[in-house]
Amino acid sequence: MTATSPRRRRLHIDALELDLRGIPPETAEAAVRLLGPALAKALTGQPVQALPAEHLDAGELASPAAPSAHALAAGIAQRIAGSLRGERP
């Protein structure tokens, strides 16, 4: 994972592995589509340092039995943003 210059504010993610077992397929698919905008919102105004290519584990996210796609995407985005800021999952 690398971040480009602060002026461009771009984050390049080579791969993202999500285990959405137990989430209805339609909800999981919709959440993945919403993840980009949710991550952009979670990182707004937050400092993200340039990181070398590495494996970053954002941990697990507890969710209700039937989460909404928006809530699921926002929760995943918050976990990723927290990991990029160096917060422990």
Side-chain angles (χ1 to χ4, degrees):
M1 212 177 304
T2 58
T4 59
S5 72
R7 288 178 288 155
R8 289 184 51 191
R9 295 185 181 195
R10 291 185 160 245
L11 179 67
H12 177 79
I13 299 173
D14 290 322
L16 181 63
E17 184 176 324
L18 300 172
D19 181 350
L20 299 175
R21 249 178 284 167
I23 304 295
E26 301 81 21
T27 302
E29 187 176 325
V32 169
R33 284 195 193 115
L34 295 167
L35 186 55
L39 187 54
K41 183 177 179 179
L43 292 171
T44 299
Q46 300 295 319
V48 176
Q49 298 175 353
L51 301 171
E54 62 182 57
H55 177 102
L56 183 70
D57 187 347
E60 295 182 11
L61 176 67
S63 70
S68 74
H70 287 282
L72 186 58
I76 293 168
Q78 288 298 324
R79 292 302 295 246
I80 293 170
S83 291
L84 290 172
R85 290 188 298 265
E87 297 170 4
R88 292 245 180 220

